[in-house]
Amino acid sequence: MPFSHLTHLSCTKCGKTYDPEALLNVCREPGCAGSLFAEYDVPRLSREDIASRSRTIWRWHELMPARRPEDIITLGEGGTPLLHARRLGERLSMPDVWVKEEAGNPTGSFKARGLGAAVTMAKALGARAIALPTAGNAGGAAAAYAAKAGLPCHVFMPKDTPKVFRIECEAYGAQVTLVDGLIDDCGRIVAQRKEAEGWFDVSTLKEPYRVEGKKTMGYELAEQFGWTLPDVIVYPTGGGTGLIGMWKAFDEMERLGWIGAKRPRMISVQAEGCAPIPKAFAEGKDVSVRFENAHTYASGLRVPKAYADYLVLKILRASKGEAVTISDDEMRRGVNELASSEGLYAAPEGGAAWEAVKKLLAAQKVQRTERVVVFDTGTGYKYID
Ligand SMILES: *Cc1c(COP(=O)(O)O)cnc(C)c1O
Protein backbone atom coordinates (compact mmCIF):
# COMPACT_ATOMS: atom_id res chain seq x y z
CA MET A 1 0.00 0.00 0.00
CA PRO A 2 1.41 3.43 -0.88
CA PHE A 3 2.46 5.68 1.99
CA SER A 4 0.12 8.44 0.74
CA HIS A 5 -3.08 7.93 -1.27
CA LEU A 6 -2.95 11.44 -2.70
CA THR A 7 -4.25 11.35 -6.27
CA HIS A 8 -4.73 14.94 -7.42
CA LEU A 9 -5.60 18.49 -6.44
CA SER A 10 -9.00 19.94 -7.17
CA CYS A 11 -10.29 23.48 -7.19
CA THR A 12 -12.87 24.21 -4.49
CA LYS A 13 -14.54 26.76 -6.79
CA CYS A 14 -14.58 25.36 -10.34
CA GLY A 15 -13.58 21.73 -9.82
CA LYS A 16 -10.60 21.80 -12.21
CA THR A 17 -8.05 19.14 -11.28
CA TYR A 18 -4.26 19.32 -11.13
CA ASP A 19 -1.28 17.01 -10.89
CA PRO A 20 -0.06 17.06 -7.29
CA GLU A 21 3.59 16.70 -8.32
CA ALA A 22 3.62 20.39 -9.30
CA LEU A 23 4.28 23.16 -6.80
CA LEU A 24 0.98 25.06 -7.05
CA ASN A 25 -0.77 27.88 -5.28
CA VAL A 26 -4.38 28.46 -6.41
CA CYS A 27 -6.53 27.47 -9.38
CA ARG A 28 -5.19 28.81 -12.68
CA GLU A 29 -8.46 28.96 -14.59
CA PRO A 30 -8.96 32.54 -15.77
CA GLY A 31 -10.93 34.47 -13.18
CA CYS A 32 -11.13 31.55 -10.72
CA ALA A 33 -8.18 31.50 -8.27
CA GLY A 34 -10.05 29.12 -5.96
CA SER A 35 -8.28 27.29 -3.13
CA LEU A 36 -7.01 23.84 -4.10
CA PHE A 37 -7.79 20.75 -2.04
CA ALA A 38 -5.74 17.56 -1.88
CA GLU A 39 -7.81 14.55 -2.95
CA TYR A 40 -7.15 10.93 -2.04
CA ASP A 41 -8.40 7.55 -3.10
CA VAL A 42 -9.77 5.91 -0.01
CA PRO A 43 -7.50 3.19 1.29
CA ARG A 44 -8.68 0.03 2.95
CA LEU A 45 -7.55 1.12 6.35
CA SER A 46 -9.06 0.33 9.71
CA ARG A 47 -9.04 2.49 12.81
CA GLU A 48 -7.09 -0.26 14.55
CA ASP A 49 -4.34 -0.08 11.90
CA ILE A 50 -3.33 3.33 13.10
CA ALA A 51 -3.72 2.74 16.83
CA SER A 52 -0.06 1.99 17.53
CA ARG A 53 1.40 4.81 15.42
CA SER A 54 3.09 7.87 16.90
CA ARG A 55 0.85 10.83 17.62
CA THR A 56 1.86 13.46 15.12
CA ILE A 57 -0.05 14.80 12.13
CA TRP A 58 1.63 12.04 10.11
CA ARG A 59 -0.21 9.36 12.08
CA TRP A 60 -2.78 9.66 9.28
CA HIS A 61 -0.20 9.38 6.48
CA GLU A 62 -2.39 7.55 3.96
CA LEU A 63 -4.61 10.63 3.97
CA MET A 64 -1.73 13.09 4.09
CA PRO A 65 0.22 14.43 1.11
CA ALA A 66 3.86 13.39 1.77
CA ARG A 67 4.86 10.64 -0.67
CA ARG A 68 7.67 9.16 1.40
CA PRO A 69 8.42 9.01 5.14
CA GLU A 70 11.84 10.54 4.52
CA ASP A 71 10.24 13.69 3.08
CA ILE A 72 8.52 14.52 6.36
CA ILE A 73 9.74 17.54 8.28
CA THR A 74 8.36 17.25 11.78
CA LEU A 75 8.86 18.85 15.16
CA GLY A 76 6.33 16.52 16.80
CA GLU A 77 3.25 18.63 15.99
CA GLY A 78 -0.24 17.28 16.69
CA GLY A 79 -1.46 14.64 19.10
CA THR A 80 -2.65 17.30 21.53
CA PRO A 81 -4.80 16.60 24.59
CA LEU A 82 -8.58 16.83 24.66
CA LEU A 83 -9.37 17.97 28.19
CA HIS A 84 -12.67 17.78 30.02
CA ALA A 85 -13.42 21.33 31.23
CA ARG A 86 -15.26 20.06 34.26
CA ARG A 87 -15.03 23.13 36.48
CA LEU A 88 -15.86 25.67 33.77
CA GLY A 89 -18.66 23.48 32.51
CA GLU A 90 -20.16 23.18 36.00
CA ARG A 91 -20.57 26.93 36.19
CA LEU A 92 -22.96 26.75 33.27
CA SER A 93 -24.42 23.38 34.26
CA MET A 94 -22.83 22.01 31.11
CA PRO A 95 -21.27 18.66 32.01
CA ASP A 96 -19.87 17.88 28.57
CA VAL A 97 -17.59 20.80 27.61
CA TRP A 98 -14.09 19.95 26.37
CA VAL A 99 -11.00 21.90 25.39
CA LYS A 100 -8.82 20.79 22.51
CA GLU A 101 -5.60 22.19 23.89
CA GLU A 102 -3.33 23.25 21.01
CA ALA A 103 -0.90 25.39 23.00
CA GLY A 104 1.55 22.52 23.45
CA ASN A 105 2.33 22.31 19.75
CA PRO A 106 5.83 23.28 18.55
CA THR A 107 6.07 27.10 18.43
CA GLY A 108 3.09 27.33 20.80
CA SER A 109 0.13 27.16 18.44
CA PHE A 110 -1.75 24.93 16.06
CA LYS A 111 -0.10 26.77 13.17
CA ALA A 112 2.59 24.10 13.55
CA ARG A 113 0.22 21.52 12.09
CA GLY A 114 -0.44 23.48 8.92
CA LEU A 115 3.07 24.70 8.36
CA GLY A 116 4.60 21.33 9.16
CA ALA A 117 2.61 19.91 6.25
CA ALA A 118 3.15 22.91 3.95
CA VAL A 119 6.91 23.10 4.48
CA THR A 120 7.22 19.33 4.05
CA MET A 121 5.52 19.57 0.66
CA ALA A 122 7.25 22.78 -0.43
CA LYS A 123 10.63 21.17 0.20
CA ALA A 124 9.66 17.84 -1.39
CA LEU A 125 8.33 19.58 -4.53
CA GLY A 126 11.45 21.66 -4.98
CA ALA A 127 10.75 25.10 -3.49
CA ARG A 128 13.96 27.10 -2.97
CA ALA A 129 12.54 29.53 -0.38
CA ILE A 130 9.17 30.21 1.22
CA ALA A 131 7.38 33.45 2.03
CA LEU A 132 4.18 34.31 3.86
CA PRO A 133 2.16 37.04 5.48
CA THR A 134 1.33 36.50 9.14
CA ALA A 135 -0.76 38.00 11.90
CA GLY A 136 1.63 36.34 14.37
CA ASN A 137 1.81 32.61 14.96
CA ALA A 138 2.02 31.46 11.33
CA GLY A 139 5.31 33.30 10.90
CA GLY A 140 6.95 31.58 13.87
CA ALA A 141 5.75 28.17 12.77
CA ALA A 142 6.84 28.70 9.15
CA ALA A 143 10.23 29.93 10.28
CA ALA A 144 10.78 26.94 12.58
CA TYR A 145 9.87 24.33 9.96
CA ALA A 146 11.87 26.19 7.31
CA ALA A 147 14.86 26.08 9.64
CA LYS A 148 14.43 22.34 10.08
CA ALA A 149 14.08 21.94 6.29
CA GLY A 150 17.05 24.16 5.52
CA LEU A 151 14.90 26.54 3.46
CA PRO A 152 15.12 30.34 3.56
CA CYS A 153 11.92 31.90 4.97
CA HIS A 154 10.58 35.43 4.39
CA VAL A 155 7.95 36.63 6.83
CA PHE A 156 5.82 39.77 6.42
CA MET A 157 3.93 40.97 9.49
CA PRO A 158 2.03 44.10 10.52
CA LYS A 159 4.41 46.43 12.33
CA ASP A 160 2.18 46.55 15.41
CA THR A 161 2.27 42.76 15.91
CA PRO A 162 3.54 41.96 19.44
CA LYS A 163 7.34 41.94 19.47
CA VAL A 164 7.69 38.31 20.51
CA PHE A 165 6.38 37.11 17.15
CA ARG A 166 9.17 38.91 15.34
CA ILE A 167 11.82 37.81 17.85
CA GLU A 168 10.97 34.14 17.44
CA CYS A 169 10.96 34.36 13.61
CA GLU A 170 14.39 35.94 13.64
CA ALA A 171 15.69 33.37 16.11
CA TYR A 172 14.63 30.67 13.64
CA GLY A 173 16.64 32.47 10.97
CA ALA A 174 13.78 33.98 8.99
CA GLN A 175 13.99 37.33 7.24
CA VAL A 176 11.25 39.50 8.80
CA THR A 177 9.73 42.57 7.13
CA LEU A 178 7.45 44.79 9.21
CA VAL A 179 4.62 46.28 7.16
CA ASP A 180 2.56 49.38 7.78
CA GLY A 181 -0.78 47.61 7.32
CA LEU A 182 -2.67 44.41 8.08
CA ILE A 183 -2.15 40.77 7.10
CA ASP A 184 -3.82 41.21 3.71
CA ASP A 185 -1.46 44.11 2.93
CA CYS A 186 1.41 41.77 3.83
CA GLY A 187 -0.10 39.12 1.55
CA ARG A 188 -0.16 41.58 -1.34
CA ILE A 189 3.54 42.29 -0.93
CA VAL A 190 4.36 38.57 -0.99
CA ALA A 191 2.23 38.15 -4.12
CA GLN A 192 3.95 41.08 -5.85
CA ARG A 193 7.49 39.99 -5.05
CA LYS A 194 7.40 36.20 -5.04
CA GLU A 195 8.01 35.66 -8.74
CA ALA A 196 11.07 37.88 -9.00
CA GLU A 197 12.47 36.59 -5.70
CA GLY A 198 11.80 32.89 -6.39
CA TRP A 199 9.71 32.45 -3.24
CA PHE A 200 6.98 29.87 -2.84
CA ASP A 201 3.97 31.56 -1.21
CA VAL A 202 2.66 29.54 1.75
CA SER A 203 -0.25 31.89 2.58
CA THR A 204 -3.04 29.81 4.02
CA LEU A 205 -5.49 28.44 1.46
CA LYS A 206 -3.33 29.85 -1.32
CA GLU A 207 -1.39 26.60 -1.17
CA PRO A 208 -3.03 23.20 -0.73
CA TYR A 209 -1.28 21.69 2.29
CA ARG A 210 -1.70 23.89 5.36
CA VAL A 211 -5.31 22.78 5.41
CA GLU A 212 -4.10 19.15 5.27
CA GLY A 213 -2.00 19.66 8.38
CA LYS A 214 -4.84 21.30 10.24
CA LYS A 215 -7.45 18.74 9.22
CA THR A 216 -5.71 16.28 11.54
CA MET A 217 -7.51 18.04 14.42
CA GLY A 218 -10.70 16.49 13.04
CA TYR A 219 -9.16 13.01 12.98
CA GLU A 220 -7.85 13.45 16.51
CA LEU A 221 -11.19 14.64 17.89
CA ALA A 222 -12.98 11.62 16.45
CA GLU A 223 -10.38 9.22 17.80
CA GLN A 224 -10.30 10.87 21.23
CA PHE A 225 -14.09 10.64 21.52
CA GLY A 226 -14.08 6.94 20.61
CA TRP A 227 -14.93 7.58 16.92
CA THR A 228 -17.83 9.87 17.52
CA LEU A 229 -17.99 13.60 16.85
CA PRO A 230 -19.18 16.24 19.33
CA ASP A 231 -22.43 18.18 18.89
CA VAL A 232 -20.72 21.55 18.62
CA ILE A 233 -17.22 22.77 17.70
CA VAL A 234 -16.29 26.33 18.70
CA TYR A 235 -13.44 27.62 16.57
CA PRO A 236 -11.70 31.01 16.76
CA THR A 237 -11.46 31.93 13.11
CA GLY A 238 -8.87 33.93 11.24
CA GLY A 239 -8.30 32.38 7.83
CA GLY A 240 -10.59 29.51 8.79
CA THR A 241 -7.98 26.87 7.92
CA GLY A 242 -8.76 24.53 10.80
CA LEU A 243 -12.51 24.79 10.43
CA ILE A 244 -12.25 24.02 6.72
CA GLY A 245 -9.74 21.26 7.36
CA MET A 246 -11.80 19.51 10.03
CA TRP A 247 -14.86 19.55 7.80
CA LYS A 248 -12.79 17.93 5.06
CA ALA A 249 -11.49 15.34 7.55
CA PHE A 250 -15.04 14.41 8.58
CA ASP A 251 -15.89 13.59 4.96
CA GLU A 252 -12.70 11.57 4.56
CA MET A 253 -13.39 9.62 7.74
CA GLU A 254 -16.92 8.88 6.61
CA ARG A 255 -15.55 7.53 3.31
CA LEU A 256 -13.07 5.42 5.28
CA GLY A 257 -16.02 3.98 7.18
CA TRP A 258 -14.65 5.33 10.46
CA ILE A 259 -17.58 7.60 11.37
CA GLY A 260 -21.19 8.10 10.28
CA ALA A 261 -22.95 10.98 8.57
CA LYS A 262 -23.59 13.04 11.69
CA ARG A 263 -21.69 16.34 11.80
CA PRO A 264 -21.08 18.87 14.56
CA ARG A 265 -22.49 22.37 14.30
CA MET A 266 -19.48 24.48 13.43
CA ILE A 267 -19.23 27.80 15.26
CA SER A 268 -16.93 30.50 13.97
CA VAL A 269 -15.75 32.99 16.61
CA GLN A 270 -14.27 36.36 15.68
CA ALA A 271 -13.41 39.60 17.46
CA GLU A 272 -15.86 42.50 17.62
CA GLY A 273 -13.14 44.64 16.09
CA CYS A 274 -12.65 42.28 13.15
CA ALA A 275 -15.76 40.27 12.32
CA PRO A 276 -16.10 39.81 8.56
CA ILE A 277 -17.45 36.26 8.89
CA PRO A 278 -20.21 36.97 11.45
CA LYS A 279 -21.24 39.98 9.36
CA ALA A 280 -21.47 38.00 6.12
CA PHE A 281 -23.18 35.12 7.93
CA ALA A 282 -25.83 37.43 9.41
CA GLU A 283 -26.41 39.06 6.03
CA GLY A 284 -26.80 35.74 4.26
CA LYS A 285 -23.82 36.44 1.99
CA ASP A 286 -21.66 33.77 0.35
CA VAL A 287 -18.47 35.82 0.67
CA SER A 288 -17.31 38.41 3.18
CA VAL A 289 -16.39 42.04 2.67
CA ARG A 290 -13.03 43.29 3.94
CA PHE A 291 -13.52 44.53 7.52
CA GLU A 292 -12.18 48.07 7.69
CA ASN A 293 -10.06 49.33 10.62
CA ALA A 294 -9.70 45.82 11.92
CA HIS A 295 -8.44 45.79 15.50
CA THR A 296 -8.21 43.22 18.30
CA TYR A 297 -5.43 42.06 20.58
CA ALA A 298 -6.09 38.50 19.41
CA SER A 299 -3.64 38.81 16.54
CA GLY A 300 -4.67 35.45 15.07
CA LEU A 301 -8.16 36.86 14.54
CA ARG A 302 -6.99 40.08 12.90
CA VAL A 303 -7.76 38.88 9.40
CA PRO A 304 -9.99 41.45 7.67
CA LYS A 305 -10.85 39.12 4.81
CA ALA A 306 -10.10 35.41 4.70
CA TYR A 307 -9.04 34.10 1.30
CA ALA A 308 -11.37 31.10 1.54
CA ASP A 309 -14.24 32.91 3.27
CA TYR A 310 -16.62 31.23 0.79
CA LEU A 311 -15.68 27.82 2.22
CA VAL A 312 -16.06 28.95 5.85
CA LEU A 313 -19.50 30.40 5.18
CA LYS A 314 -20.60 27.32 3.26
CA ILE A 315 -19.56 25.06 6.15
CA LEU A 316 -21.23 27.21 8.81
CA ARG A 317 -24.50 26.94 6.89
CA ALA A 318 -24.16 23.26 5.96
CA SER A 319 -23.54 22.38 9.59
CA LYS A 320 -26.37 24.61 10.89
CA GLY A 321 -23.70 26.46 12.80
CA GLU A 322 -23.31 30.05 13.88
CA ALA A 323 -20.89 32.95 13.83
CA VAL A 324 -20.24 34.81 17.08
CA THR A 325 -18.36 37.99 17.95
CA ILE A 326 -16.46 38.53 21.22
CA SER A 327 -14.98 41.79 22.52
CA ASP A 328 -11.37 42.07 23.66
CA ASP A 329 -12.52 42.58 27.27
CA GLU A 330 -14.57 39.41 27.08
CA MET A 331 -11.52 37.58 25.68
CA ARG A 332 -9.42 38.73 28.66
CA ARG A 333 -12.10 37.39 30.98
CA GLY A 334 -12.20 34.12 29.03
CA VAL A 335 -8.42 33.78 29.28
CA ASN A 336 -8.59 34.33 33.05
CA GLU A 337 -11.36 31.79 33.48
CA LEU A 338 -9.56 29.11 31.45
CA ALA A 339 -6.42 29.74 33.47
CA SER A 340 -7.95 29.92 36.95
CA SER A 341 -10.47 27.11 36.52
CA GLU A 342 -8.79 24.71 34.12
CA GLY A 343 -5.09 25.42 34.44
CA LEU A 344 -4.79 26.55 30.81
CA TYR A 345 -3.06 29.83 30.04
CA ALA A 346 -4.75 30.35 26.70
CA ALA A 347 -4.15 32.73 23.86
CA PRO A 348 -6.88 35.39 23.57
CA GLU A 349 -8.29 33.36 20.69
CA GLY A 350 -8.91 30.48 23.11
CA GLY A 351 -10.46 32.89 25.60
CA ALA A 352 -12.77 34.09 22.84
CA ALA A 353 -13.87 30.53 22.08
CA TRP A 354 -14.76 29.89 25.72
CA GLU A 355 -16.69 33.17 25.97
CA ALA A 356 -18.60 32.16 22.83
CA VAL A 357 -19.95 29.09 24.64
CA LYS A 358 -21.57 31.35 27.23
CA LYS A 359 -23.10 33.53 24.53
CA LEU A 360 -24.41 30.55 22.62
CA LEU A 361 -25.98 29.10 25.76
CA ALA A 362 -27.59 32.42 26.68
CA ALA A 363 -29.02 32.65 23.15
CA GLN A 364 -30.19 29.02 23.37
CA LYS A 365 -28.02 28.13 20.40
CA VAL A 366 -26.51 25.28 22.42
CA GLN A 367 -28.21 23.07 24.98
CA ARG A 368 -26.70 22.38 28.41
CA THR A 369 -26.40 18.66 27.81
CA GLU A 370 -24.67 18.91 24.45
CA ARG A 371 -21.08 17.87 23.92
CA VAL A 372 -19.14 21.02 23.07
CA VAL A 373 -15.48 21.33 22.05
CA VAL A 374 -13.71 24.65 22.51
CA PHE A 375 -10.47 25.17 20.62
CA ASP A 376 -7.65 26.72 22.59
CA THR A 377 -5.49 27.42 19.58
CA GLY A 378 -2.31 28.78 21.13
CA THR A 379 -0.35 29.66 24.22
CA GLY A 380 -1.00 32.83 26.20
CA TYR A 381 2.71 33.36 26.80
CA LYS A 382 3.14 35.32 23.57
CA TYR A 383 0.59 37.99 24.50
CA ILE A 384 2.01 39.43 27.66
CA ASP A 385 2.88 42.88 26.33
C1 LIG B 1 -4.00 31.65 13.29
C2 LIG B 1 -4.66 31.54 14.60
C3 LIG B 1 -6.06 31.37 14.69
C4 LIG B 1 -6.94 31.30 13.45
O1 LIG B 1 -6.71 30.12 12.73
P1 LIG B 1 -7.33 29.83 11.31
O2 LIG B 1 -7.37 28.35 11.16
O3 LIG B 1 -6.46 30.46 10.29
O4 LIG B 1 -8.69 30.43 11.28
C5 LIG B 1 -6.61 31.21 15.94
N1 LIG B 1 -5.85 31.25 17.07
C6 LIG B 1 -4.51 31.40 17.02
C7 LIG B 1 -3.74 31.42 18.29
C8 LIG B 1 -3.86 31.56 15.79
O5 LIG B 1 -2.54 31.70 15.74
Side-chain angles (χ1 to χ4, degrees):
M1 199 159 82
F3 186 71
S4 168
H5 283 245
L6 180 67
T7 53
H8 61 282
L9 303 175
S10 75
C11 176
T12 55
K13 270 189 188 162
C14 76
K16 186 177 164 65
T17 61
Y18 293 89
D19 176 357
E21 298 308 316
L23 194 57
L24 290 175
N25 285 112
V26 294
C27 183
R28 291 175 170 173
E29 278 298 290
C32 181
S35 301
L36 300 179
F37 266 9
E39 306 286 354
Y40 303 83
D41 65 23
V42 176
R44 208 184 278 272
L45 183 69
S46 78
R47 304 183 304 204
E48 292 70 37
D49 291 334
I50 54 101
S52 63
R53 294 182 185 171
S54 74
R55 293 180 188 281
T56 74
I57 62 171
W58 303 102
R59 181 176 179 78
W60 321 98
H61 62 76
E62 288 87 349
L63 282 298
M64 287 289 282
R67 293 288 188 199
R68 306 176 304 169
E70 56 271 33
D71 289 338
I72 291 173
I73 293 156
T74 182
L75 296 168
E77 62 292 332
T80 57
L82 177 63
L83 303 170
H84 187 198
R86 193 177 55 79
R87 298 187 66 217
L88 277 187
E90 264 172 13
R91 290 196 195 176
L92 305 179
S93 301
M94 292 182 73
D96 211 3
V97 178
W98 299 75
V99 178
K100 183 67 170 158
E101 173 56 11
E102 290 292 305
N105 275 301
T107 70
S109 85
F110 69 166
K111 290 294 192 304
R113 296 178 185 263
L115 284 148
V119 172
T120 290
M121 294 309 290
K123 171 96 177 173
L125 298 176
R128 308 297 289 276
I130 62 166
L132 77 166
T134 181
N137 279 311
Y145 286 90
K148 179 94 177 171
L151 282 177
C153 178
H154 300 268
V155 176
F156 293 79
M157 65 173 70
K159 71 175 195 305
D160 56 355
T161 307
K163 216 163 51 188
V164 64
F165 291 105
R166 172 173 146 210
I167 293 169
E168 66 168 344
C169 288
E170 289 177 343
Y172 293 126
Q175 177 76 45
V176 178
T177 305
L178 298 179
V179 174
D180 188 10
L182 291 173
I183 186 170
D184 51 349
D185 302 304
C186 297
R188 235 175 336 264
I189 296 174
V190 172
Q192 281 161 6
R193 292 183 55 189
K194 65 182 181 184
E195 206 143 75
E197 304 279 0
W199 300 337
F200 181 61
D201 182 355
V202 293
S203 301
T204 200
L205 291 149
K206 289 191 202 170
E207 70 81 48
Y209 301 117
R210 282 175 65 174
V211 78
E212 294 304 288
K214 271 193 173 171
K215 82 179 180 187
T216 58
M217 297 188 292
Y219 282 88
E220 288 179 23
L221 274 187
E223 185 181 37
Q224 287 170 313
F225 280 133
W227 303 104
T228 63
L229 297 178
D231 297 306
V232 177
I233 289 178
V234 183
Y235 188 84
T237 306
T241 322
L243 187 137
I244 294 167
M246 284 192 280
W247 196 252
K248 181 173 188 287
F250 300 153
D251 285 347
E252 290 170 359
M253 283 190 284
E254 188 178 355
R255 282 193 284 135
L256 282 158
W258 291 3
I259 62 167
K262 186 196 160 219
R263 294 289 182 272
R265 304 202 296 288
M266 304 298 280
I267 314 288
S268 178
V269 182
Q270 293 198 312
E272 265 179 17
C274 182
I277 297 290
K279 185 164 187 292
F281 186 77
E283 291 171 354
K285 303 266 174 62
D286 294 334
V287 293
S288 64
V289 175
R290 185 178 196 267
F291 203 90
E292 295 304 325
N293 304 314
H295 61 89
T296 168
Y297 95 112
S299 52
L301 305 186
R302 206 164 58 136
V303 179
K305 178 162 167 59
Y307 192 76
D309 54 358
Y310 62 102
L311 293 177
V312 174
L313 288 159
K314 197 160 80 178
I315 292 165
L316 296 183
R317 295 200 174 99
S319 75
K320 302 190 164 53
E322 283 291 331
V324 177
T325 59
I326 299 294
S327 72
D328 281 22
D329 283 342
E330 289 169 328
M331 285 179 211
R332 287 188 188 91
R333 184 177 66 195
V335 167
N336 287 337
E337 290 183 8
L338 278 165
S340 58
S341 295
E342 299 295 339
L344 303 173
Y345 189 43
E349 294 84 348
W354 164 240
E355 288 294 315
V357 175
K358 297 193 230 170
K359 281 206 174 161
L360 290 162
L361 183 66
Q364 298 187 322
K365 299 275 172 69
V366 303
Q367 307 307 312
R368 291 188 196 280
T369 55
E370 286 188 302
R371 172 166 284 180
V372 177
V373 174
V374 171
F375 269 85
D376 177 26
T377 48
T379 175
Y381 294 128
K382 294 193 200 177
Y383 300 80
I384 49 178
D385 55 295

